[in-house]
Coordinates of all heavy atoms in Angstrom, one line a residue:
M121 N 5.1 -15.6 -6.9 CA 4.1 -14.6 -6.8 C 4.5 -13.4 -7.7 O 5.6 -12.9 -7.5 CB 3.8 -14.2 -5.4 CG 2.8 -13.2 -5.2 SD 2.5 -12.8 -3.5 CE 1.1 -11.7 -3.7
D122 N 3.6 -12.9 -8.5 CA 3.8 -11.7 -9.3 C 3.6 -10.5 -8.5 O 2.9 -10.5 -7.5 CB 2.8 -11.7 -10.5 CG 3.1 -12.8 -11.4 OD1 4.2 -13.3 -11.5 OD2 2.1 -13.3 -12.1
G123 N 4.3 -9.4 -8.9 CA 4.1 -8.1 -8.2 C 2.8 -7.4 -8.6 O 2.0 -8.0 -9.3
P124 N 2.7 -6.2 -8.2 CA 1.5 -5.5 -8.5 C 1.4 -5.2 -10.1 O 2.4 -5.1 -10.7 CB 1.6 -4.2 -7.8 CG 3.0 -4.1 -7.3 CD 3.6 -5.4 -7.4
R125 N 0.2 -5.1 -10.5 CA -0.1 -4.8 -11.9 C -0.7 -3.5 -12.0 O -1.2 -2.9 -11.1 CB -1.0 -5.9 -12.6 CG -2.4 -5.9 -11.9 CD -3.4 -6.6 -12.8 NE -4.7 -6.8 -12.2 CZ -5.6 -5.8 -12.0 NH1 -5.3 -4.6 -12.4 NH2 -6.7 -6.1 -11.4
P126 N -0.6 -2.9 -13.2 CA -1.3 -1.6 -13.4 C -2.8 -1.7 -13.2 O -3.4 -2.8 -13.5 CB -1.0 -1.2 -14.8 CG 0.2 -2.0 -15.2 CD 0.1 -3.3 -14.4
F127 N -3.5 -0.7 -12.8 CA -4.9 -0.7 -12.7 C -5.5 -0.8 -14.1 O -4.9 -0.2 -15.0 CB -5.5 0.5 -12.0 CG -5.2 0.6 -10.5 CD1 -4.3 1.5 -10.0 CD2 -5.9 -0.3 -9.6 CE1 -4.1 1.6 -8.6 CE2 -5.6 -0.2 -8.3 CZ -4.7 0.7 -7.8
T128 N -6.6 -1.5 -14.3 CA -7.3 -1.5 -15.5 C -8.0 -0.2 -15.8 O -8.3 0.5 -14.8 CB -8.3 -2.7 -15.6 OG1 -9.4 -2.4 -14.7 CG2 -7.7 -4.0 -15.3
P129 N -8.4 0.1 -17.0 CA -9.2 1.3 -17.2 C -10.5 1.3 -16.4 O -10.9 2.4 -15.9 CB -9.5 1.3 -18.7 CG -8.4 0.5 -19.3 CD -8.0 -0.5 -18.3
V130 N -11.2 0.2 -16.2 CA -12.4 0.1 -15.4 C -12.1 0.5 -14.0 O -12.8 1.2 -13.3 CB -13.1 -1.2 -15.6 CG1 -14.2 -1.4 -14.6 CG2 -13.6 -1.4 -17.0
E131 N -11.0 -0.1 -13.4 CA -10.6 0.2 -12.1 C -10.3 1.6 -11.9 O -10.7 2.3 -10.9 CB -9.4 -0.7 -11.7 CG -9.8 -2.2 -11.5 CD -8.6 -3.1 -11.4 OE1 -7.5 -2.7 -11.9 OE2 -8.8 -4.2 -10.9
L132 N -9.6 2.2 -12.8 CA -9.2 3.6 -12.8 C -10.5 4.5 -12.8 O -10.5 5.5 -12.0 CB -8.3 4.0 -13.9 CG -6.9 3.4 -13.8 CD1 -6.1 3.7 -15.1 CD2 -6.1 4.0 -12.6
D133 N -11.4 4.2 -13.6 CA -12.7 4.9 -13.6 C -13.4 4.8 -12.3 O -13.9 5.8 -11.8 CB -13.6 4.4 -14.7 CG -13.2 4.8 -16.1 OD1 -12.4 5.7 -16.2 OD2 -13.8 4.2 -17.0
R134 N -13.4 3.7 -11.6 CA -14.0 3.5 -10.3 C -13.3 4.3 -9.3 O -13.9 5.0 -8.4 CB -14.1 2.0 -10.0 CG -14.9 1.8 -8.7 CD -16.4 2.2 -8.9 NE -17.1 2.0 -7.6 CZ -18.2 2.6 -7.3 NH1 -18.8 3.4 -8.2 NH2 -18.8 2.5 -6.2
I135 N -12.0 4.3 -9.3 CA -11.2 5.0 -8.3 C -11.5 6.5 -8.5 O -11.7 7.2 -7.6 CB -9.7 4.7 -8.5 CG1 -9.4 3.3 -8.0 CG2 -8.8 5.7 -7.7 CD1 -8.0 2.8 -8.3
R136 N -11.5 7.0 -9.8 CA -11.8 8.4 -10.0 C -13.1 8.8 -9.4 O -13.3 9.8 -8.8 CB -11.7 8.7 -11.5 CG -11.9 10.2 -11.8 CD -11.6 10.7 -13.1 NE -10.2 10.5 -13.6 CZ -9.2 11.3 -13.2 NH1 -9.4 12.3 -12.4 NH2 -8.0 11.1 -13.7
H137 N -14.1 7.9 -9.6 CA -15.5 8.2 -9.1 C -15.5 8.2 -7.6 O -16.0 9.1 -7.0 CB -16.5 7.1 -9.6 CG -17.8 7.3 -9.1 ND1 -18.7 8.3 -9.5 CD2 -18.6 6.6 -8.2 CE1 -19.8 8.2 -8.9 NE2 -19.8 7.2 -8.1
L138 N -14.8 7.2 -6.9 CA -14.8 7.2 -5.5 C -14.0 8.3 -4.8 O -14.3 8.7 -3.7 CB -14.2 5.8 -5.0 CG -15.1 4.6 -5.3 CD1 -14.3 3.3 -5.1 CD2 -16.4 4.6 -4.5
T139 N -13.1 8.9 -5.6 CA -12.3 10.0 -5.0 C -12.8 11.4 -5.5 O -12.2 12.4 -5.2 CB -10.8 9.8 -5.3 OG1 -10.7 9.8 -6.8 CG2 -10.2 8.6 -4.7
S140 N -13.9 11.4 -6.2 CA -14.4 12.7 -6.7 C -15.0 13.6 -5.7 O -15.1 14.8 -6.0 CB -15.4 12.4 -7.8 OG -16.6 11.8 -7.3
Q141 N -15.3 13.1 -4.5 CA -15.8 13.9 -3.4 C -15.0 13.6 -2.2 O -14.4 12.6 -2.1 CB -17.3 13.6 -3.1 CG -18.2 14.0 -4.2 CD -19.7 13.7 -3.9 OE1 -20.0 13.4 -2.7 NE2 -20.5 13.7 -4.9
R142 N -15.0 14.6 -1.3 CA -14.2 14.4 -0.1 C -14.8 13.2 0.7 O -16.0 12.9 0.6 CB -14.1 15.6 0.8 CG -15.4 16.0 1.4 CD -15.3 17.4 2.1 NE -16.6 17.7 2.6 CZ -16.8 17.9 3.9 NH1 -15.9 17.8 4.8 NH2 -18.1 18.2 4.3
M143 N -13.9 12.6 1.5 CA -14.4 11.4 2.3 C -15.3 11.9 3.4 O -15.0 12.9 4.1 CB -13.1 10.8 3.0 CG -13.4 9.5 3.7 SD -13.9 8.1 2.7 CE -12.3 7.6 2.0
P144 N -16.5 11.3 3.6 CA -17.4 11.7 4.7 C -16.8 11.5 6.0 O -15.9 10.7 6.2 CB -18.6 10.9 4.4 CG -18.1 9.7 3.7 CD -16.9 10.1 2.9
A145 N -17.4 12.1 7.0 CA -16.9 11.9 8.4 C -17.1 10.4 8.8 O -17.9 9.7 8.2 CB -17.7 12.8 9.4
E146 N -16.4 10.0 9.8 CA -16.4 8.6 10.2 C -17.7 8.0 10.7 O -18.0 6.9 10.6 CB -15.3 8.3 11.2 CG -13.9 8.4 10.7 CD -13.7 7.3 9.6 OE1 -14.1 6.2 9.7 OE2 -13.0 7.7 8.6
H147 N -18.5 8.9 11.3 CA -19.8 8.4 11.9 C -20.7 7.8 10.8 O -20.8 8.4 9.7 CB -20.5 9.5 12.6 CG -21.6 9.0 13.5 ND1 -22.8 8.7 13.0 CD2 -21.7 8.8 14.8 CE1 -23.6 8.3 13.9 NE2 -22.9 8.3 15.1
P148 N -21.3 6.6 11.0 CA -22.1 6.0 10.0 C -23.2 6.8 9.4 O -23.7 6.6 8.3 CB -22.6 4.8 10.7 CG -21.7 4.5 11.8 CD -21.2 5.8 12.2
V149 N -23.7 7.8 10.1 CA -24.8 8.7 9.6 C -24.3 9.6 8.5 O -25.1 10.0 7.7 CB -25.4 9.5 10.8 CG1 -24.5 10.6 11.2 CG2 -26.8 10.0 10.4
H150 N -23.0 9.9 8.4 CA -22.5 10.7 7.3 C -22.3 9.9 6.1 O -21.7 8.8 6.1 CB -21.2 11.4 7.8 CG -21.3 12.3 8.9 ND1 -21.8 13.5 8.8 CD2 -21.0 12.1 10.2 CE1 -21.8 14.1 10.0 NE2 -21.4 13.2 10.9
R151 N -22.7 10.4 5.0 CA -22.6 9.7 3.7 C -21.9 10.5 2.7 O -22.1 11.8 2.6 CB -24.0 9.3 3.2 CG -24.8 8.4 4.1 CD -24.1 7.1 4.3 NE -24.6 6.2 5.3 CZ -24.5 4.9 5.3 NH1 -23.8 4.3 4.4 NH2 -25.0 4.2 6.3
G152 N -21.2 9.9 1.8 CA -20.5 10.6 0.7 C -21.0 10.1 -0.6 O -22.2 10.0 -0.9
I153 N -20.1 9.9 -1.6 CA -20.5 9.5 -2.9 C -21.4 8.3 -3.0 O -21.2 7.4 -2.2 CB -19.2 9.3 -3.7 CG1 -19.4 9.3 -5.2 CG2 -18.5 8.0 -3.3 CD1 -19.4 10.6 -5.9
D154 N -22.4 8.4 -3.7 CA -23.4 7.3 -3.9 C -24.0 6.9 -2.6 O -24.5 5.7 -2.4 CB -22.8 6.1 -4.6 CG -22.3 6.3 -6.0 OD1 -22.8 7.3 -6.6 OD2 -21.5 5.6 -6.5
G155 N -24.1 7.8 -1.6 CA -24.7 7.5 -0.3 C -23.9 6.5 0.5 O -24.4 5.9 1.5
M156 N -22.6 6.3 0.2 CA -21.8 5.3 1.0 C -21.1 6.0 2.2 O -20.8 7.2 2.1 CB -20.7 4.7 0.1 CG -21.2 3.8 -1.0 SD -19.9 3.0 -1.9 CE -19.3 4.3 -2.8
S157 N -20.9 5.2 3.2 CA -20.2 5.7 4.4 C -18.7 5.7 4.1 O -18.2 5.1 3.1 CB -20.4 4.8 5.6 OG -19.9 3.5 5.4
A158 N -17.9 6.3 4.9 CA -16.4 6.3 4.8 C -15.9 4.9 4.7 O -15.0 4.5 3.9 CB -15.8 7.1 5.9
A159 N -16.4 4.0 5.6 CA -16.0 2.6 5.7 C -16.3 1.9 4.3 O -15.5 1.1 3.9 CB -16.6 1.9 6.8
E160 N -17.4 2.1 3.8 CA -17.8 1.5 2.5 C -16.9 2.0 1.3 O -16.5 1.2 0.5 CB -19.3 1.8 2.2 CG -20.2 1.1 3.1 CD -21.7 1.6 3.0 OE1 -21.9 2.8 2.8 OE2 -22.6 0.8 3.2
I161 N -16.6 3.2 1.3 CA -15.8 3.8 0.3 C -14.4 3.2 0.4 O -13.8 2.7 -0.6 CB -15.7 5.3 0.3 CG1 -17.1 5.9 0.0 CG2 -14.6 5.9 -0.6 CD1 -17.2 7.4 0.3
R162 N -13.8 3.2 1.7 CA -12.5 2.6 1.9 C -12.5 1.1 1.5 O -11.5 0.7 0.9 CB -12.2 2.7 3.4 CG -11.0 3.6 3.7 CD -10.7 3.6 5.1 NE -10.7 5.0 5.5 CZ -11.7 5.6 6.2 NH1 -12.7 4.9 6.7 NH2 -11.7 6.8 6.5
R163 N -13.5 0.4 1.8 CA -13.6 -1.0 1.5 C -13.5 -1.3 0.0 O -12.8 -2.1 -0.5 CB -14.9 -1.7 2.1 CG -14.9 -3.1 2.1 CD -16.0 -3.8 2.9 NE -17.2 -2.9 3.2 CZ -17.4 -2.3 4.4 NH1 -16.5 -2.5 5.4 NH2 -18.5 -1.6 4.6
Q164 N -14.2 -0.5 -0.8 CA -14.2 -0.6 -2.2 C -12.8 -0.2 -2.8 O -12.3 -0.9 -3.6 CB -15.3 0.3 -2.9 CG -16.6 -0.3 -2.8 CD -17.6 0.4 -3.8 OE1 -17.2 0.9 -4.8 NE2 -18.9 0.2 -3.5
L165 N -12.2 0.8 -2.2 CA -10.8 1.2 -2.7 C -9.8 0.1 -2.3 O -9.0 -0.3 -3.1 CB -10.4 2.5 -2.1 CG -11.2 3.7 -2.7 CD1 -11.0 5.0 -1.8 CD2 -10.7 4.0 -4.1
E166 N -10.0 -0.5 -1.1 CA -9.1 -1.6 -0.7 C -9.2 -2.8 -1.6 O -8.2 -3.4 -2.0 CB -9.3 -1.9 0.7 CG -8.8 -0.9 1.7 CD -9.2 -1.0 3.1 OE1 -10.0 -2.0 3.4 OE2 -8.9 -0.2 3.9
Q167 N -10.4 -3.1 -2.0 CA -10.7 -4.2 -2.9 C -10.0 -4.0 -4.3 O -9.4 -4.9 -4.9 CB -12.2 -4.5 -3.1 CG -12.8 -5.1 -1.9 CD -14.3 -5.2 -2.0 OE1 -14.9 -4.6 -2.9 NE2 -15.0 -5.9 -1.1
L168 N -10.1 -2.8 -4.8 CA -9.5 -2.4 -6.1 C -8.0 -2.6 -6.0 O -7.4 -3.1 -6.9 CB -9.9 -1.0 -6.5 CG -11.4 -0.8 -6.9 CD1 -11.7 0.7 -6.9 CD2 -11.6 -1.4 -8.3
H169 N -7.4 -2.1 -4.9 CA -6.0 -2.2 -4.8 C -5.6 -3.7 -4.6 O -4.6 -4.1 -5.3 CB -5.5 -1.5 -3.5 CG -5.4 0.0 -3.7 ND1 -4.1 0.6 -4.0 CD2 -6.3 1.0 -3.7 CE1 -4.3 1.9 -4.1 NE2 -5.6 2.2 -4.0
R170 N -6.3 -4.5 -3.9 CA -6.0 -5.9 -3.7 C -6.1 -6.6 -5.0 O -5.2 -7.5 -5.3 CB -7.0 -6.5 -2.7 CG -6.5 -7.7 -2.0 CD -7.3 -8.2 -0.8 NE -7.7 -7.1 0.1 CZ -9.0 -6.8 0.3 NH1 -10.0 -7.4 -0.3 NH2 -9.3 -5.8 1.1
R171 N -7.1 -6.4 -5.8 CA -7.2 -7.1 -7.1 C -6.0 -6.8 -8.0 O -5.7 -7.6 -8.8 CB -8.5 -6.6 -7.8 CG -9.7 -7.3 -7.3 CD -10.9 -6.9 -8.2 NE -12.1 -6.8 -7.3 CZ -12.9 -5.8 -7.3 NH1 -12.8 -4.8 -8.2 NH2 -14.0 -5.8 -6.5
A172 N -5.4 -5.6 -7.8 CA -4.3 -5.2 -8.7 C -3.0 -5.7 -8.0 O -1.9 -5.3 -8.5 CB -4.2 -3.7 -8.9
G173 N -3.1 -6.5 -6.9 CA -1.9 -7.0 -6.2 C -1.2 -5.9 -5.4 O 0.0 -6.0 -5.2
R174 N -1.9 -4.9 -5.0 CA -1.3 -3.8 -4.2 C -1.8 -3.8 -2.8 O -2.9 -4.4 -2.5 CB -1.7 -2.5 -4.9 CG -1.2 -2.3 -6.3 CD -2.0 -1.2 -7.0 NE -1.5 -1.1 -8.4 CZ -0.7 -0.2 -8.8 NH1 -0.3 0.8 -8.0 NH2 -0.4 -0.1 -10.1
C175 N -1.1 -3.1 -1.9 CA -1.6 -2.9 -0.5 C -1.9 -1.4 -0.4 O -1.0 -0.6 -0.6 CB -0.4 -3.4 0.4 SG -0.9 -3.2 2.1
R176 N -3.1 -1.1 0.0 CA -3.5 0.3 0.2 C -3.2 0.7 1.6 O -3.7 0.1 2.6 CB -5.0 0.4 -0.1 CG -5.5 1.8 0.0 CD -7.0 1.9 -0.3 NE -7.4 3.3 -0.3 CZ -7.9 3.9 0.7 NH1 -8.1 3.3 1.8 NH2 -8.2 5.2 0.6
G177 N -2.4 1.7 1.8 CA -2.1 2.2 3.1 C -2.9 3.5 3.5 O -3.9 3.8 2.9
L178 N -2.4 4.2 4.4 CA -3.0 5.5 4.8 C -3.0 6.5 3.6 O -1.9 6.6 3.0 CB -2.3 6.1 6.0 CG -2.7 7.5 6.4 CD1 -4.2 7.5 7.0 CD2 -1.8 8.1 7.4
M179 N -4.1 7.1 3.3 CA -4.1 8.1 2.2 C -4.4 9.4 2.8 O -5.4 9.6 3.6 CB -5.2 7.7 1.2 CG -5.0 6.4 0.5 SD -3.6 6.5 -0.6 CE -3.4 4.8 -1.1
V180 N -3.5 10.4 2.6 CA -3.7 11.7 3.1 C -5.0 12.4 2.7 O -5.6 13.1 3.4 CB -2.4 12.6 2.7 CG1 -2.6 14.0 3.2 CG2 -1.2 12.0 3.3
W181 N -5.4 12.1 1.4 CA -6.6 12.8 0.9 C -7.8 12.5 1.8 O -8.7 13.3 1.9 CB -6.9 12.4 -0.5 CG -7.6 11.1 -0.8 CD1 -6.9 9.9 -1.0 CD2 -8.9 10.8 -0.8 NE1 -7.8 8.9 -1.2 CE2 -9.1 9.4 -1.0 CE3 -10.1 11.6 -0.6 CZ2 -10.3 8.8 -1.1 CZ3 -11.3 10.9 -0.7 CH2 -11.4 9.6 -1.0
E182 N -7.9 11.3 2.5 CA -9.0 11.0 3.4 C -9.1 11.9 4.6 O -10.2 12.1 5.1 CB -8.8 9.6 3.9 CG -9.0 8.5 2.8 CD -9.0 7.1 3.5 OE1 -9.4 7.0 4.6 OE2 -8.5 6.2 2.8
L183 N -8.0 12.5 5.0 CA -8.0 13.4 6.1 C -8.7 14.7 5.9 O -9.1 15.4 6.9 CB -6.6 13.6 6.6 CG -5.8 12.4 6.9 CD1 -4.4 12.7 7.3 CD2 -6.4 11.5 8.0
G184 N -8.9 15.1 4.7 CA -9.6 16.3 4.4 C -8.7 17.5 4.5 O -7.5 17.4 4.7
T185 N -9.2 18.7 4.3 CA -8.4 19.9 4.4 C -9.1 20.9 5.2 O -10.3 20.9 5.4 CB -8.2 20.5 3.0 OG1 -9.5 20.8 2.4 CG2 -7.5 19.5 2.1
R186 N -8.3 21.8 5.7 CA -8.9 23.0 6.4 C -9.8 23.8 5.5 O -9.3 24.0 4.4 CB -7.8 23.8 7.0 CG -8.2 24.6 8.2 CD -7.0 25.3 8.8 NE -6.3 24.3 9.6 CZ -5.6 24.6 10.7 NH1 -5.5 25.9 11.0 NH2 -5.1 23.7 11.4
G187 N -10.9 24.1 5.8 CA -11.8 24.9 5.0 C -12.8 24.0 4.2 O -13.7 24.5 3.5
G188 N -12.6 22.7 4.2 CA -13.5 21.8 3.6 C -13.4 21.6 2.1 O -14.2 20.8 1.5
W189 N -12.5 22.2 1.4 CA -12.4 22.0 -0.1 C -11.7 20.6 -0.3 O -11.0 20.1 0.5 CB -11.7 23.1 -0.8 CG -10.2 23.3 -0.4 CD1 -9.8 24.0 0.7 CD2 -9.1 22.7 -1.0 NE1 -8.4 23.9 0.8 CE2 -8.0 23.1 -0.2 CE3 -8.9 21.9 -2.1 CZ2 -6.7 22.7 -0.6 CZ3 -7.7 21.5 -2.4 CH2 -6.5 21.9 -1.7
H190 N -12.0 20.1 -1.5 CA -11.5 18.8 -1.8 C -10.8 18.9 -3.2 O -11.4 19.4 -4.2 CB -12.6 17.8 -1.9 CG -12.2 16.4 -2.4 ND1 -11.4 15.6 -1.7 CD2 -12.6 15.8 -3.5 CE1 -11.2 14.5 -2.4 NE2 -11.9 14.6 -3.5
D191 N -9.6 18.4 -3.3 CA -8.9 18.3 -4.6 C -9.0 16.9 -5.1 O -8.3 16.0 -4.8 CB -7.4 18.7 -4.4 CG -6.6 18.8 -5.7 OD1 -7.1 18.2 -6.7 OD2 -5.5 19.4 -5.6
A192 N -10.0 16.7 -6.0 CA -10.3 15.4 -6.5 C -9.2 14.8 -7.3 O -8.9 13.6 -7.3 CB -11.6 15.4 -7.4
E193 N -8.5 15.6 -8.1 CA -7.4 15.1 -8.9 C -6.2 14.7 -8.0 O -5.6 13.6 -8.3 CB -6.9 16.2 -9.9 CG -5.8 15.7 -10.8 CD -6.3 14.7 -11.8 OE1 -7.5 14.5 -12.0 OE2 -5.5 14.0 -12.4
A194 N -5.9 15.4 -7.0 CA -4.8 15.0 -6.0 C -5.2 13.7 -5.3 O -4.4 12.8 -5.1 CB -4.6 16.1 -5.0
A195 N -6.5 13.5 -5.0 CA -7.0 12.3 -4.3 C -6.8 11.1 -5.3 O -6.3 10.0 -4.9 CB -8.4 12.4 -3.9
Y196 N -7.2 11.3 -6.5 CA -7.1 10.3 -7.5 C -5.6 9.9 -7.8 O -5.3 8.7 -7.8 CB -7.7 10.8 -8.9 CG -7.5 9.8 -10.0 CD1 -8.2 8.7 -10.2 CD2 -6.5 10.1 -11.0 CE1 -8.0 7.8 -11.3 CE2 -6.3 9.3 -12.1 CZ -7.1 8.1 -12.2 OH -6.9 7.3 -13.3
L197 N -4.8 10.8 -7.9 CA -3.3 10.6 -8.1 C -2.7 9.8 -6.9 O -1.9 9.0 -7.1 CB -2.6 11.9 -8.4 CG -2.9 12.5 -9.8 CD1 -2.2 13.8 -9.9 CD2 -2.5 11.6 -10.9
E198 N -3.1 10.2 -5.7 CA -2.6 9.5 -4.5 C -3.1 8.1 -4.5 O -2.3 7.2 -4.2 CB -3.1 10.2 -3.3 CG -2.5 9.6 -2.0 CD -2.9 10.3 -0.7 OE1 -3.8 11.2 -0.8 OE2 -2.4 9.9 0.3
E199 N -4.3 7.8 -4.8 CA -4.8 6.4 -4.9 C -4.1 5.6 -5.9 O -3.9 4.4 -5.8 CB -6.3 6.4 -5.1 CG -7.2 6.8 -3.9 CD -7.2 5.8 -2.8 OE1 -6.8 4.6 -3.0 OE2 -7.5 6.1 -1.7
T200 N -3.8 6.2 -7.1 CA -3.3 5.4 -8.2 C -1.8 5.4 -8.3 O -1.2 4.8 -9.1 CB -3.9 5.9 -9.5 OG1 -3.5 7.3 -9.7 CG2 -5.4 5.7 -9.6
G201 N -1.1 6.2 -7.4 CA 0.3 6.3 -7.4 C 0.9 7.1 -8.5 O 2.0 7.0 -8.9
G202 N 0.0 8.0 -9.0 CA 0.4 8.9 -10.2 C 1.1 10.1 -9.9 O 1.6 10.6 -9.1

């Protein structure tokens, strides 16, 4: 079995898009990027990691910050291991 591979440019673009806004609250009525729930966003991110042979764990960026601001670049770097 081969180890993890680097994300493709298309995968990186999708990850950047999915992490561009803060994660919505867990309740299904709350929606984030593209009208997706937190579970839907997480599912897409997990699929991207799995395709690259990676295991996605707990991501700090999902927890949000006090005051509600979101650091999209930090979220992207956490997701991509950058």
Side-chain angles (χ1 to χ4, degrees):
M121 177 177 188
D122 294 331
R125 63 163 173 77
F127 289 110
T128 67
V130 171
E131 290 168 338
L132 289 171
D133 286 346
R134 186 65 184 157
I135 291 169
R136 184 167 297 280
H137 179 70
L138 291 169
T139 59
S140 67
Q141 293 181 13
R142 68 187 178 118
M143 187 68 79
E146 287 299 319
H147 192 281
V149 74
H150 297 283
R151 299 296 170 157
I153 194 86
D154 296 339
M156 291 188 288
S157 68
E160 292 167 325
I161 294 168
R162 244 184 238 105
R163 193 169 20 259
Q164 284 197 22
L165 289 166
E166 287 167 0
Q167 288 172 350
L168 290 164
H169 279 264
R170 202 171 315 118
R171 281 187 217 131
R174 300 164 182 255
C175 181
R176 183 178 185 267
L178 173 68
M179 298 290 171
V180 175
W181 79 267
E182 290 185 31
L183 303 175
T185 60
R186 203 173 278 211
W189 64 273
H190 173 68
D191 186 341
E193 187 63 19
Y196 171 77
L197 290 173
E198 185 179 7
E199 284 290 343
T200 59

